[in-house]
Amino acid sequence: MTKPLEGRVALVTGASRGIGRAAALAFANAGAHVVALARTTGALEELDDEIRALGGTSTLVPLDLSDAGGLEKLGPALMERWGKLDILLANAGVLGSLTPLGHATEADWAKVMDINVTANLRLIKSLDVALRASDAGRVILLSSGAAHKCLAYWGPYSISKAAVEALGRTYAAETATTPMKVMLVNPGPLRTRMRAEAMPGEDPQTLRTPEDLAPHLVEIASPSWTESGKIFDFPQGKVLTPQMPV
Ligand code: NAP
C-alpha cells in the first residue's frame, strides 16, 4: 500500500523534541522526506538515526529561528534541491515567563513574539514559492487553547498564539484559490518539556503524548486533506471553524 506522505517533502520546526519530534518521526514513517529544524544538533542527529532506522530519510537544519538571514535562505535552498515544499509544520515555540502583564519585560515579550510569530511570518515569506510549487502544499501552525482562554499571567504567550491564528487564517485566505491548505492545530495539554515548564505541579503521566497527536498531523499534512483556515482541536477531536462575532 502507498504511504500517505510518500514522495512529500516536509519541513518541521522544533523537531528536536516534543510535538515536533513526534511529528517528524510520524511524517518519515508515512513516507515523507523530513527537513528537521531546531537549535540542538545532538537531538537532531538522534532524530536522524531514528528516521533511518524506520527506513526514512531526513535533512538536518540546525538553526535558531531568530536568525532572519538563515530563514531567508531556506526557501531558495529547498527549491534548488527539490523544486517544492509539500508540508510546513510550523511547530517550534517558546512559553516565555508566566507573569502579570504589568511585570512582563520587553526582552521576554520580544523573544516570545520573535519565535512564536515573526519567525513563522519569515518562514512563510521564504517558503511561499516552494509551497505553491507543490501540487498540494500543506501548512500547519501550532496554536494553543491559550489563544482563546487568555488566562491571567499567560499574556505574551496567549497574545503570540492569537497572532499565530490570525497569521494562519490570513495565509489561508490568500491561498484559497490554490491547491494549498493552511490549518491551525490546538494540541491541548501534552506531555512535553514546555508543558512541564508551564505546569510544574502537574503529573505528566496524566497527559496524552505528542505520539497521540502525530497521526492527526499526518492526516492534515496529506494531499487528501480538504479543510483550510480552520483549527484542528485535539482535545475535542474535531475541526473548528473560527466564528466572527455578530
Ligand atoms: P517543547 O517540548 O518545548 O519543544 C519546543 C521545540 O521548539 C524544540 O524542538 C525547540 O528546539 C524548538 N525551538 C524553541 N526555540 C527555538 C528557536 N529559537 N529556534 C529553533 N527552534 C526552537 O514544546 P512542545 O510542547 O513540543 O510545543 C510545540 C508547539 O506546541 C509550541 O508551539 C507550543 O506553543 C505548542 N503547544 C504545546 C502544548 C503542550 O501542552 N505541549 C499545548 C499547546 C500548544 P531547540 O531547543 O533544540 O531549538
Side-chain angles (χ1 to χ4, degrees):
M1 210 180 85
T2 317
K3 294 181 171 184
L5 302 183
E6 196 69 59
R8 317 307 286 170
V9 179
L11 171 62
V12 178
T13 71
S16 59
R17 62 173 187 267
I19 296 169
R21 186 176 205 279
L25 285 166
F27 286 178
N29 207 23
H33 177 84
V34 174
V35 181
L37 184 152
R39 291 168 300 181
T40 314
T41 311
L44 288 178
E45 285 167 356
E46 282 172 28
L47 173 70
D48 184 48
D49 289 344
E50 273 193 56
I51 288 177
R52 276 168 205 258
L54 290 171
T57 56
S58 66
T59 300
L60 305 183
V61 183
L63 186 69
D64 191 320
L65 283 167
S66 63
D67 178 352
L71 293 182
E72 206 178 331
K73 289 184 195 131
L74 263 182
L78 289 165
M79 279 304 280
E80 196 179 319
R81 181 133 172 220
W82 288 286
K84 64 167 185 173
L85 176 65
D86 299 298
I87 301 158
L88 164 62
L89 180 65
N91 158 81
V94 292
L95 180 66
S97 302
L98 299 184
T99 183
L101 283 174
H103 293 222
T105 66
E106 293 235 357
D108 194 53
W109 170 270
K111 185 182 175 196
V112 172
M113 291 300 156
D114 192 38
I115 302 306
N116 293 5
V117 185
T118 310
N120 286 327
L121 173 67
R122 289 186 174 132
L123 281 167
I124 287 172
K125 282 163 66 77
S126 177
L127 302 170
D128 183 62
V129 168
L131 286 162
R132 288 176 192 262
S134 167
D135 60 347
R138 301 286 176 261
V139 176
I140 307 172
L141 299 121
L142 265 288
S143 184
S144 165
H148 302 268
K149 289 180 192 153
C150 299
L151 296 173
Y153 316 130
W154 285 62
Y157 180 78
S158 292
I159 295 160
S160 76
K161 291 300 184 180
V164 166
E165 292 203 358
L167 178 70
R169 290 173 62 194
T170 304
Y171 198 34
E174 291 174 359
T175 54
T177 58
T178 78
M180 276 178 63
K181 306 290 175 204
V182 183
M183 286 293 293
L184 283 313
V185 168
N186 170 26
L190 295 185
R191 196 188 306 159
T192 69
R193 190 189 295 182
M194 183 189 284
R195 179 69 189 182
E197 193 187 331
M199 298 286 184
E202 183 178 69
D203 176 3
Q205 297 307 318
T206 61
L207 301 175
R208 290 197 287 182
T209 65
E211 288 72 25
D212 295 326
L213 172 69
H216 297 277
L217 299 177
V218 171
E219 196 186 344
I220 298 168
S222 74
S224 60
W225 183 261
T226 56
E227 308 271 22
S228 193
K230 297 183 181 174
I231 304 167
F232 174 70
D233 188 85
F234 187 47
Q236 296 185 63
K238 64 181 182 187
V239 173
L240 306 177
T241 304
Q243 300 292 325
M244 284 293 291
V246 284

